[in-house]
Amino acid sequence: AQSVSQHNHHVILSEAASLELGCNYSYGGTVNLFWYVQYPGQHLQLLLKYFSGDPLVKGIKGFEAEFIKSKFSFNLRKPSVQWSDTAEYFCAVNKGTNAGKSTFGDGTTLTVKP
Amino acid sequence: DGGITQSPKYLFRKEGQNVTLSCEQNLNHDAMYWYRQDPGQGLRLIYYSQIVNDFQKGDIAEGYSVSREKKESFPLTVTSAQKNPTAFYLCASRSDIKGSTEAFFGQGTRLTVV
């Protein structure tokens, strides 16, 4: 069974610090990769996604993620975080041919101190 | 506005009672999903449906049941057989079943067993 690991459960940063959240998955075939964000009191929403092509994908609010196939990784980055980035971040993976069983990581809570 | 509506937002149930959580979408999406979100455990898939009148068990289906009589609706029943039903439940939908699109989520229902 595929699994998704997010290594950082809680990250605390000051504003303007750089962010990198790790995500590794176990499935070896074709995958679709996602990062979702859940701001306090709001519903989960898509931050960015990768299906094919350029392994460096850019999402909303200055976030980007790089797919490194050899490392089975899809780490999320942002060069300078803001207080409004405080949220919970989820990495998700599904097999390229079947969206039915998307697997989510355990989530990383990011707290940005003003 | 198009979206996914879950109701109610908060739900209290007595032990031994079944309860049904509502999920409605007006996005014309084929696929719908139910996830359970527990602190530190991310999102775990309960059931999913890729077409009307068909649904599949996810990773933690025991103690739950669903139906998909209409494209727009995918209610989840938490039965008395579910040993630890207190949780946050998320419904999601996706426009296709191939995995190339992201999921859209509802606001969630927080179920508490008293």
Side-chain angles (χ1 to χ4, degrees):
Chain A
Q2 63 193 48
S3 65
V4 179
S5 298
Q6 290 183 241
H7 310 297
N8 315 102
H9 294 292
H10 195 179
V11 173
I12 302 173
L13 296 173
S14 298
E15 276 195 312
S18 64
L19 170 73
E20 181 160 3
L21 301 181
C23 174
N24 287 90
Y25 61 94
S26 62
Y27 182 64
T30 301
V31 292
N32 299 320
L33 302 157
F34 308 81
W35 274 98
Y36 291 89
V37 60
Q38 189 172 29
Y39 297 105
Q42 297 187 28
H43 59 89
L44 269 165
Q45 57 187 284
L46 182 72
L47 201 54
L48 48 76
K49 60 186 178 183
Y50 170 82
F51 299 128
S52 62
D54 189 344
L56 183 63
V57 293
K58 295 190 184 298
I60 59 172
K61 303 186 180 184
F63 285 91
E64 64 179 32
E66 184 174 13
F67 170 50
I68 303 179
K69 190 174 182 179
S70 61
K71 294 185 178 180
F72 299 91
S73 70
F74 190 55
N75 293 355
L76 180 71
R77 300 194 293 247
K78 185 170 184 178
S80 176
V81 294
Q82 301 172 309
W83 175 79
S84 58
D85 293 324
T86 294
E88 191 160 15
Y89 293 80
F90 293 93
C91 181
V93 177
N94 60 268
K95 296 179 185 179
T97 57
N98 182 1
K101 299 197 71 173
S102 295
T103 302
F104 283 76
D106 290 346
T108 297
T109 301
L110 171 65
T111 302
V112 180
K113 296 186 291 186
Chain B
D1 288 333
I4 301 177
T5 303
Q6 288 186 243
S7 61
K9 190 173 181 180
Y10 298 97
L11 188 58
F12 295 86
R13 187 197 90 177
K14 291 183 179 179
E15 277 193 38
Q17 289 181 339
N18 293 353
V19 64
T20 298
L21 282 58
S22 170
C23 178
E24 303 278 330
Q25 55 101 355
N26 60 4
L27 300 167
N28 199 34
H29 284 175
D30 286 313
M32 296 187 73
Y33 309 83
W34 274 105
Y35 291 93
R36 171 179 170 141
Q37 186 178 12
D38 294 287
Q41 296 191 54
L43 276 67
R44 293 181 290 167
L45 183 64
I46 304 172
Y47 267 98
Y48 64 102
S49 168
Q50 296 180 321
I51 196 169
V52 174
N53 292 322
D54 185 53
F55 47 83
Q56 307 293 329
K57 290 183 178 180
D59 300 316
I60 56 165
E62 185 176 351
Y64 299 98
S65 66
V66 293
S67 62
R68 187 86 186 277
E69 297 176 2
K70 299 186 297 182
K71 190 175 186 178
E72 314 83 63
S73 178
F74 191 42
L76 173 74
T77 297
V78 185
T79 74
S80 57
Q82 169 49 235
K83 296 178 181 177
N84 186 22
T86 295
F88 188 59
Y89 292 87
L90 281 169
C91 180
S93 70
R94 188 182 252 119
S95 61
D96 68 69
I97 64 172
K98 295 179 182 177
S100 59
T101 59
E102 69 271 23
F104 289 79
F105 287 86
Q107 293 266 8
T109 293
R110 187 166 298 281
L111 172 65
T112 303
V113 175
V114 297

